[in-house]
Amino acid sequence: MLRWQQAEGKRHALDVAFPPRPEEQFTTLCGEEMTVAVCDVPQLGGNWFDPTCAECRAAWLARC
C-alpha cells in the first residue's frame, strides 16, 4: 500500500502495509533511507508542514 510519511524535513512516499513508528527506518520510493521522529507523526502531536519530496511524488505518479 502506498502512503506518505514525513521524515527528515520532507514528506516521502513509501510502499508498506503499516506506517513506520518513531525511531524506525524506512526506504522511500525515491530510494532514500529515512528515520521517523516523534515530531513526524501527527497522531503524536507532530505536524505535516514539510514539503513533499519531488522524487517520491514522481515515483508515486508513475505507479498510478
Side-chain angles (χ1 to χ4, degrees):
M1 167 184 233
L2 293 174
R3 64 178 67 241
W4 292 97
Q5 176 61 56
Q6 183 165 293
E8 299 183 25
K10 290 188 181 175
R11 283 188 343 125
H12 292 276
L14 59 155
D15 189 3
V16 296
F18 300 100
R21 292 175 283 176
E23 305 308 318
E24 286 186 342
Q25 290 188 328
F26 66 95
T27 302
T28 66
L29 289 186
C30 68
E32 298 290 326
E33 286 288 325
M34 297 288 153
T35 302
V36 177
V38 171
C39 63
D40 294 325
V41 182
Q43 296 86 344
L44 299 176
N47 296 306
W48 284 87
F49 295 138
D50 291 337
T52 299
C53 170
E55 292 83 6
C56 281
R57 182 180 182 276
W60 179 293
L61 292 173
R63 290 185 173 205
C64 294

